[in-house]
Amino acid sequence: MAAALCCGLLDYKTEKFALTRNRRVGLLHRLLQLAVLGYLLGWVLVVRRGYQDTDAAPHVSVITKMKGVSVTRSKDASSRLWDAVDYASPPQGENVLFLVTNFIATAKQAQGTCPESPSVLDGMCTEDVDCPVGNPVVHGNGIKTGKCVMFNATHSTCEIYGWCPVENNTLPRKPLLAEAENFTLFIKNTVNFTKFNFSKGNTLQTNDPTYFKSCTYDPFFNPSCPVFRIGDVVEAAGETFGDLALLGGSISIRIEWNCDLDQPTARCQPQYSFILVDRRYNFRTASYYWDSQRRPYRSLMKLYGIRFDISVHGQATVVCDLVLLYLDTKADFYWKEKFEEAKPPKGKTEAAADPQWADQDIRNAQ
C-alpha cells in the first residue's frame, strides 16, 4: 500500500490533444475567438476607451458673485434700494446662493400682547375658554393669554403674548424685485485632476479687463463667458421668471467637465445645464433695533426668492501606460523616462567600511 502511494506521488501527467478535421467545430471555434477579440477591440478599447486611465474625482472650487440694483416701493409710498448685499445671501457666495425676488414686510414689531392672526386655525375663538392661559398657538405667533378679543369687525381671535403686531401675510400680486430678471450671476469654477496634475478654470484667459463686465453667457455664441443673466438661467430651467419670482423656487446649476487630456487642453471646456428643482422657496429674517428709551423692536421680513445650487462633476482621461510602453511608436523613449535604474552610490562592502555610511545605518535603525 505504501509503495503504491509513493509511486503515485511520483507519477507525471501530461495533456493529450486530438486534432479533428470537423469544419463545423472548427468554424465555431474561430467564431468564438473572433467574438472575444471583437469584444476586446470594439467594446473595451474603442467604446469604453479601456486604453485610457481615468480620474473621476476632481477637486473643485466655486466662487459666485451677484450684480444688479433694484428699487421697491411700499404702500406708504416709501422706497428702498436693493443691491447685492441686500438681495443675495451670502453676498459673496460659494456653491449655494439665494436671490431675493419678493418679500412681505412687517415693520416695528415689539414684544407685547395683541390678537392672533385669523389665518391661524388654533387662534380662532368665540369666548375666553377657547384660549387656555399659557398654551402656545399651534402654527401661530405667540402664547395665549386667556382672552378672546376682536381682531377686526368680522373675526375674533385669542390674545397672545409675542411680537406684535403679528406677521403680515398679504402677498404682493407681482414680485417686488422684478428687475432681478436682468441681474447677473458670475460663477468662477476651477477643477483640479490631481491624478494627472492638471487643473483648469472656466474663466477665459484674456488681457481685456472689461471682458467680464460686458460679456453674457450664451451656449452657442459666448460659451466661455461665466457671467449668467438670471432670466436666461430661469428660462433654461424651463420656467418663466415672473412665475418663479413670485413664490420663489430652487434651480440646480450643473457644471460638467469631460476632458480628454490626449487632446489639446483648449478642448477641455465645461458644459452647463440648468434644472428646476422646486417651485416654492422662502424663509424669514429680522433686523433688531432699540428706540431712544431702549425698548427693543424688530422688522420682520418673509423673503421669497430663487435658490441656486451649483454642483461640479467631471472626469479626465489620458492614454494609459499599456499603450505608451508597448504600442506607441515612441515606446523606447517612454520606457527610459518612466523606468530609471537605481544605482547605490557605493558598493555594499565599501558602504560597510565607510564610517559615514555606518553612522547613517545606525540612525536609520534607531
Side-chain angles (χ1 to χ4, degrees):
M1 183 69 179
L5 180 61
C6 292
C7 293
L9 293 175
L10 298 178
D11 289 345
Y12 173 75
K13 299 177 182 179
T14 183
E15 296 181 359
K16 178 179 180 181
F17 296 94
L19 177 63
T20 175
R21 300 185 180 280
N22 188 312
R23 293 184 178 182
R24 292 182 179 180
V25 175
L27 179 60
L28 179 61
H29 175 65
R30 297 307 178 191
L31 288 177
L32 290 175
Q33 288 180 326
L34 289 175
V36 173
L37 182 61
Y39 170 78
L40 292 175
L41 296 178
W43 177 254
V44 176
L45 293 181
V46 177
V47 178
R48 303 297 297 178
R49 296 189 177 184
Y51 60 88
Q52 289 183 323
D53 198 3
T54 302
D55 184 355
H59 294 183
V60 301
S61 171
V62 176
I63 299 175
T64 59
K65 293 182 180 180
M66 192 80 72
K67 291 290 183 69
V69 178
S70 178
V71 176
T72 59
R73 292 175 175 82
S74 58
K75 293 181 179 179
D76 59 2
S78 61
S79 60
R80 174 179 175 179
L81 178 70
W82 294 72
D83 61 12
V85 178
D86 301 313
Y87 59 70
S89 178
Q92 307 300 329
E94 296 184 356
N95 59 333
V96 176
L97 188 70
F98 176 77
L99 169 64
V100 178
T101 57
N102 201 8
F103 64 90
I104 301 175
T106 307
K108 204 174 182 179
Q109 284 186 313
Q111 291 188 12
T113 58
C114 57
E116 179 59 277
S117 170
S119 64
V120 180
L121 184 62
D122 189 47
M124 302 296 291
C125 66
T126 56
E127 53 186 5
D128 292 347
V129 71
D130 297 327
C131 306
V133 179
N135 284 8
V137 181
V138 179
H139 305 302
N141 297 283
I143 306 297
K144 297 176 181 178
T145 65
K147 296 180 181 180
C148 183
V149 297
M150 296 300 297
F151 180 85
N152 53 30
T154 58
H155 294 88
S156 59
T157 61
C158 293
E159 183 185 67
I160 62 168
Y161 176 79
W163 286 98
C164 298
V166 293
E167 180 183 15
N168 174 24
N169 59 6
T170 303
L171 182 69
R173 295 182 178 180
K174 296 182 179 180
L176 297 177
L177 276 77
E179 294 87 350
E181 183 176 7
N182 295 314
F183 290 176
T184 58
L185 173 61
F186 172 76
I187 302 177
K188 183 179 181 181
N189 170 224
T190 303
V191 291
N192 185 6
F193 296 97
T194 56
K195 188 174 183 178
F196 305 130
N197 193 26
F198 175 80
S199 63
K200 187 73 182 291
N202 68 329
T203 56
L204 183 67
Q205 301 299 317
T206 177
N207 295 323
D208 183 3
T210 65
Y211 175 74
F212 296 111
K213 297 180 180 180
S214 58
C215 76
T216 303
Y217 170 81
D218 185 276
F220 301 103
F221 303 106
N222 207 358
S224 299
C225 178
V227 180
F228 301 82
R229 179 177 171 271
I230 298 300
D232 296 338
V233 172
V234 175
E235 184 178 351
E239 188 59 274
T240 59
F241 179 83
D243 293 339
L244 193 65
L246 185 63
L247 296 176
S250 178
I251 291 179
S252 171
I253 302 177
R254 183 183 177 96
I255 306 177
E256 192 80 30
W257 294 83
N258 288 312
C259 300
D260 186 350
L261 301 187
D262 299 322
Q263 303 294 328
T265 57
R267 296 187 180 182
C268 179
Q269 297 294 335
Q271 300 295 321
Y272 301 94
S273 59
F274 310 93
I275 303 171
L276 180 64
V277 179
D278 200 350
R279 284 186 171 85
R280 288 176 178 263
Y281 192 88
N282 66 78
F283 64 91
R284 293 170 176 83
T285 183
S287 58
Y288 297 84
Y289 60 95
W290 288 259
D291 63 7
S292 58
Q293 298 180 358
R294 301 301 298 169
R295 289 177 298 189
Y297 291 89
R298 78 177 187 182
S299 294
L300 179 66
M301 300 280 286
K302 185 177 183 180
L303 302 177
Y304 297 83
I306 304 173
R307 172 188 168 117
F308 298 97
D309 292 272
I310 305 171
S311 60
V312 182
H313 308 267
Q315 66 176 7
T317 59
V318 68
V319 174
C320 65
D321 290 347
L322 176 66
V323 176
L324 291 178
L325 299 179
Y326 296 98
L327 303 180
D328 197 274
T329 55
K330 299 181 180 180
D332 293 338
F333 169 76
Y334 292 125
W335 267 96
K336 294 178 181 179
E337 291 296 319
K338 183 175 180 64
F339 300 101
E340 180 180 357
E341 182 180 359
K343 297 181 179 180
K346 294 184 179 181
K348 183 176 180 181
T349 304
E350 296 177 357
D354 193 328
Q356 179 180 355
W357 284 90
D359 292 342
Q360 183 67 37
D361 292 341
I362 293 175
R363 287 195 294 269
N364 292 339
Q366 293 176 343

